[in-house]
Amino acid sequence: MEKLRSFYMFKNLSETSLQRLKSISKEKAYKKGNILFYEGDRPEHLIVLTEGILQIYKSDPKGNKIVLHSFYQPSLIAEIANFEKIAYPATAEFLTDGKVIKIDYEIFEKEFLKNPEVAFTIIKSLSDKVRLLENVITYDIVLSSTGRVAKFIYEHEDDFLHLKKSEIASIMNITPETLSRIISKFKKLGLLAKKEGGYKVVDKEGLRSFFE
């Protein structure tokens, strides 16, 4: 629960407010593949992702996943559903083992949202979401698929080494075949090397040229 103090949204809270926040919060661990919430569920908690990768997706009539975004820690998850008092518009599934802190939203709304300290951090949270949208636009529209893969490997090397190709492709909204071609390209350029059970990054800085 000490992670609440370091989370950007609560950094300005007084010690008294922080202790109260901890008293209405609980930490929960999830395994890879576990569902945090389903589309249509009603939110009861304000959720802070503290460990792992969480994928947000909708399902089409045939049951196929349409990936909307993948969140990394630390992140506030689906807070708009809380603020607007609406059902979750998508499903959240862990791509890795992870942890969240769940804060009782009914109490949080009554005791914290009218607090100027919290109001300021809420504004900060929403401005961060705007920046996230800008990053998504840059990531998905401006960068080529090669640039997106290079950026992912550069920023999330450990995840690249341990996730399946299909999972990485899903995060970046590209096909596994496209990902395989890009990885082969990076191998030929000496940026990656094959090893038992996967790959290793040989020239991390060389990847930067593809997305900067």
Side-chain angles (χ1 to χ4, degrees):
M1 298 296 285
E2 291 304 316
K3 294 176 182 177
L4 280 174
R5 166 61 78 188
S6 61
F7 187 60
Y8 69 86
M9 189 174 170
F10 306 125
K11 280 184 176 179
N12 296 321
L13 289 181
S14 66
E15 188 60 34
T16 299
S17 294
L18 184 65
Q19 292 304 316
R20 175 54 178 159
L21 183 64
K22 289 181 179 179
S23 73
I24 61 171
S25 304
K26 57 185 178 182
E27 187 174 46
K28 186 172 181 179
Y30 289 82
K31 293 295 185 180
K32 176 180 177 180
N34 284 171
I35 300 296
L36 178 59
F37 54 77
Y38 287 97
E39 179 178 354
D41 286 350
R42 304 297 302 190
E44 298 179 353
H45 301 93
L46 193 64
I47 301 173
V48 180
L49 176 67
T50 58
E51 292 183 23
I53 303 174
L54 188 68
Q55 185 177 82
I56 308 298
Y57 68 88
K58 295 179 75 71
S59 298
D60 66 17
K62 295 182 179 180
N64 298 312
K65 289 183 181 180
I66 302 172
V67 178
L68 303 178
H69 191 66
S70 295
F71 285 95
Y72 297 82
Q73 79 278 2
S75 293
L76 194 61
I77 305 298
E79 70 273 29
I80 298 300
N82 294 109
F83 301 154
E84 297 294 329
K85 300 185 186 303
I86 59 175
Y88 289 119
T91 298
E93 177 183 350
F94 277 91
L95 287 183
T96 66
D97 290 351
K99 291 182 180 180
V100 300
I101 293 176
K102 294 185 173 184
I103 303 168
D104 187 306
Y105 184 72
E106 184 176 356
I107 298 175
F108 180 84
E109 182 179 49
K110 291 178 181 178
E111 299 186 14
F112 286 85
L113 286 188
K114 294 180 181 180
N115 183 325
E117 297 173 275
V118 177
F120 175 80
T121 54
I122 289 292
I123 294 172
K124 175 67 165 54
S125 171
L126 295 177
S127 68
D128 285 344
K129 283 296 190 296
V130 172
R131 279 197 296 273
L132 173 62
L133 178 59
E134 292 172 345
N135 289 336
V136 169
I137 291 172
T138 298
Y139 192 74
D140 287 339
I141 298 177
V142 178
L143 287 180
S144 66
S145 55
T146 300
R148 285 150 57 192
V149 174
K151 185 175 174 66
F152 178 85
I153 297 172
Y154 186 88
E155 295 180 348
H156 307 288
E157 181 178 348
D158 187 62
D159 293 323
F160 169 71
L161 298 177
H162 294 94
L163 291 176
K164 296 178 181 178
K165 282 185 180 180
S166 59
E167 293 169 335
I168 297 172
S170 177
I171 290 173
M172 292 181 290
N173 284 322
I174 61 176
T175 65
E177 292 77 16
T178 297
L179 177 62
S180 293
R181 287 196 296 269
I182 294 171
I183 289 176
S184 295
K185 177 181 178 179
F186 289 163
K187 284 168 56 182
K188 291 178 181 178
L189 292 173
L191 304 177
L192 301 176
K194 184 72 174 174
K195 70 172 186 177
E196 184 177 354
Y199 300 87
K200 66 177 180 179
V201 178
V202 177
D203 183 4
K204 188 172 182 178
E205 288 305 310
L207 294 167
R208 187 193 290 268
S209 63
F210 288 93
F211 61 86
E212 287 192 345

